[in-house]
Amino acid sequence: MQNKNKLDLWVKEVFQDNVSLGFRVDKVLFSERSKYQQVDIVKTTGHGKMLLNDGMVMLSEKDEFVYHEMIAHVPLFSHPNPDNILIIGGGDGGTAREVLKHKNVKKVTLVEIDKLVVNACKKHLPKLSKSFDDPKMNLLIDDGVKFVNETKDKFDIILIDSTDPVGPATPLFNREFYESASKILNDDGILISQAESPFYNQDIQLSMMKAQRDFFKTLNIFLLSNLTYPGGLWSFGFASKGDISFKTDTTEKFKDSGIKTKYYNPDVHLASFVLPDFIKENLSGIIDN
Ligand code: AG3
């Protein structure tokens, strides 16, 4: 039912030119253009504040915990000893917030290409961007591809917290980037890649997994369900240079960590690697599932 007393203001993401997902808006809080993209933060009626880059929904306060918990905790609880973490993208700070919940992590380097995203989120999304004030944080405004090619540092886990493969994130889906990323990972290192919608992006998922296969020993996809990305069901790629089992029970580690979550738990961890047949078929012979 429409509320006749309210201005009928909506923000809608148009996806692949044939789907649109809309949210009622109370107020526009931030709207600016950088050299790279349009950055908007709106206060929605039902989903809290929402960040959009070039009209694509990046997060809403109502469900951001799902994506940020899963991108961080699945690899951090899988790795035997995650010390040094690299985040590519993630300028809102949500992924860093979850990574920093792991007390054994010594350093988090976050390379975000667009300063405007960081500044907008510092102003309007402090629950996420407060992670930038942590002493373990090393925030760099730089091109992630350039950083990965040039750094002398070695990492235990790399998290690619990117937008879709259009605009500034496009090179983060390339084979060359995965190769460079594999080179700066330690022997048992893990690469997590934002892997889009299993329904709408089967071709991207296939090309990503094919490209990663050559540089990693173990490769898989894991799933999450969210409210604000087209189709709801979303995925990450999980690539490891070591022999990581996707069936590892993380109950003890999770309990000992004392980490509080709202979506992630050891059962969800295991279940997220259980793939429906249409996803397995698309990636058959490539992923280890
Ligand atoms: N990462 C964005 C995932 C892709 C969303 N795609 C879309 N809405 N078409 C978000 C960054 C959160 N830290």
Side-chain angles (χ1 to χ4, degrees):
M1 263 278 263
Q2 189 152 323
N3 181 347
K4 293 263 170 15
N5 301 317
K6 258 190 165 172
L7 179 64
D8 196 25
L9 195 59
W10 289 72
V11 66
K12 70 170 193 226
E13 168 170 351
V14 177
F15 188 66
Q16 296 184 342
D17 213 22
N18 65 24
V19 185
S20 88
L21 190 57
F23 305 89
R24 186 186 287 283
V25 168
D26 290 337
K27 203 176 167 189
V28 177
L29 300 171
F30 185 95
S31 184
E32 278 183 38
R33 215 189 149 74
S34 72
K35 182 170 136 201
Y36 301 103
Q37 60 202 340
Q38 175 68 30
V39 178
D40 299 298
I41 299 179
V42 295
K43 168 78 180 70
T44 68
T45 311
H47 296 75
K49 291 178 194 168
M50 179 174 275
L51 168 70
L52 301 103
N53 289 358
D54 276 344
M56 291 177 282
V57 177
M58 294 294 108
L59 64 92
S60 87
E61 284 182 317
K62 193 173 174 73
D63 70 337
E64 57 86 9
F65 65 92
V66 179
Y67 178 100
H68 293 130
E69 288 180 13
M70 290 301 277
I71 193 175
H73 301 310
V74 171
L76 273 109
F77 281 119
S78 298
H79 192 282
N81 187 24
D83 271 6
N84 199 16
I85 316 295
L86 173 64
I87 302 171
I88 303 289
D92 49 78
T95 297
R97 179 194 64 203
E98 295 304 315
V99 168
L100 288 160
K101 286 183 180 172
H102 293 254
K103 294 294 167 238
N104 48 342
V105 165
K106 298 207 169 77
K107 187 175 166 198
V108 182
T109 302
L110 186 145
V111 187
E112 165 62 54
I113 199 165
D114 196 347
K115 198 175 179 27
L116 190 65
V117 172
V118 174
N119 289 346
C121 295
K122 274 192 173 165
K123 190 151 183 239
H124 296 286
L125 291 162
K127 279 184 210 141
L128 289 89
S129 56
K130 68 166 193 297
S131 56
F132 295 137
D133 302 330
D134 191 289
K136 289 180 186 169
M137 254 338 269
N138 173 28
L139 169 63
L140 305 172
I141 303 298
D142 202 353
D143 178 349
V145 174
K146 184 170 148 271
F147 177 87
V148 164
N149 287 332
E150 291 174 0
T151 183
K152 298 277 172 287
D153 215 351
K154 286 265 189 177
F155 299 91
D156 299 308
I157 298 179
I158 302 177
L159 307 175
I160 310 175
D161 184 6
S162 74
T163 61
D164 294 359
V166 286
T170 312
L172 303 179
F173 290 81
N174 287 348
R175 189 188 154 83
E176 297 71 40
F177 178 69
Y178 300 136
E179 181 170 21
S180 312
S182 74
K183 287 186 182 150
I184 60 162
L185 277 170
N186 289 321
D187 287 347
D188 45 6
I190 298 173
L191 174 79
I192 301 294
S193 47
Q194 194 280 102
E196 302 283 304
S197 158
F199 285 110
Y200 292 126
N201 301 105
Q202 292 211 320
D203 45 346
I204 293 168
Q205 236 166 48
L206 182 59
S207 73
M208 287 175 76
M209 291 301 109
K210 273 189 180 159
Q212 291 181 23
R213 183 73 271 185
D214 292 343
F215 312 112
F216 294 91
K217 203 161 174 184
T218 38
L219 185 65
N220 213 339
I221 286 266
F222 63 100
L223 303 176
L224 59 138
S225 169
N226 86 130
L227 275 179
T228 47
Y229 299 159
L233 185 68
W234 214 255
S235 67
F236 289 110
F238 186 121
S240 170
K241 286 171 79 174
D243 281 314
I244 284 187
S245 163
F246 301 109
K247 299 196 163 63
T248 309
D249 183 3
T250 58
T251 308
E252 281 302 302
K253 266 190 175 180
F254 181 62
K255 215 168 119 219
D256 292 349
S257 75
I259 290 175
K260 297 269 172 295
T261 50
K262 290 193 279 184
Y263 187 90
Y264 178 90
N265 65 40
D267 289 334
V268 165
H269 181 128
L270 290 176
S272 70
F273 289 103
V274 176
L275 303 180
D277 280 359
F278 78 100
I279 304 176
K280 278 203 222 181
E281 264 159 37
N282 185 42
L283 305 170
S284 80
I286 299 162
I287 58 167
D288 305 310
N289 192 305

